[in-house]
């Protein structure tokens, strides 16, 4: 076996690639979907029949050296749900 020496530029290229962005977005969307499902169960607690827009959403951002996927609140109802019921935070535990 030979020595393996990582190529910094190659690693950054892979991290910022379309495939990596797609994979990160898919994972973040799964977290947002779980939070949205949990939030639907709290509609009656919030005295609403349903959400007009999903309270949680996901996106992928390309930074200078890598890309990240993130699930986040999507407006006022998402912030309210997260503050009161921790729907998004619960997805990480």
């Amino acid at each position: 076996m030979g020595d393996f020496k990582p190529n910094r530029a190659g690693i950054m290229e892979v991290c910022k690639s379309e495939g990596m962005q797609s994979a990160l977005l898919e994972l973040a969307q799964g977290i947002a979907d779980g939070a949205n499902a949990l939030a639907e169960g709290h509609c009656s607690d919030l005295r609403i029949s349903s959400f007009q827009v999903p309270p949680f959403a996901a996106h992928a951002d390309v930074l200078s050296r890598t890309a990240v996927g993130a699930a986040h609140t999507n407006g006022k109802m998402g912030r309210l749900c997260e503050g009161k019921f921790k729907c998004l935070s619960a997805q990480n535990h």
Side-chain angles (χ1 to χ4, degrees):
M1 300 284 291
D3 289 338
F4 174 77
K5 189 169 185 175
N7 178 329
R8 184 174 294 188
I11 291 172
M12 285 192 298
E13 185 177 329
V14 168
C15 289
K16 293 165 52 173
S17 71
E18 289 293 324
M20 182 62 78
Q21 290 177 52
S22 175
L24 291 168
L25 180 59
E26 184 179 327
L27 290 170
Q29 189 60 55
I31 293 170
D33 289 345
N36 285 328
L38 192 56
E40 286 295 327
H42 293 296
C43 283
S44 62
D45 297 331
L46 297 172
R47 295 184 176 90
I48 59 172
S49 58
S50 66
F51 293 104
Q52 293 178 355
V53 297
F56 302 98
H59 70 279
D61 280 336
V62 178
L63 307 176
S64 60
R65 296 182 183 201
T66 191
V68 295
H72 55 86
T73 58
N74 190 26
K76 182 180 176 182
M77 293 308 287
R79 289 189 298 275
L80 178 63
C81 253
E82 180 61 16
K84 192 164 185 159
F85 305 111
K86 304 295 183 202
C87 296
L88 187 58
S89 300
Q91 301 306 303
N92 295 321
H93 298 285

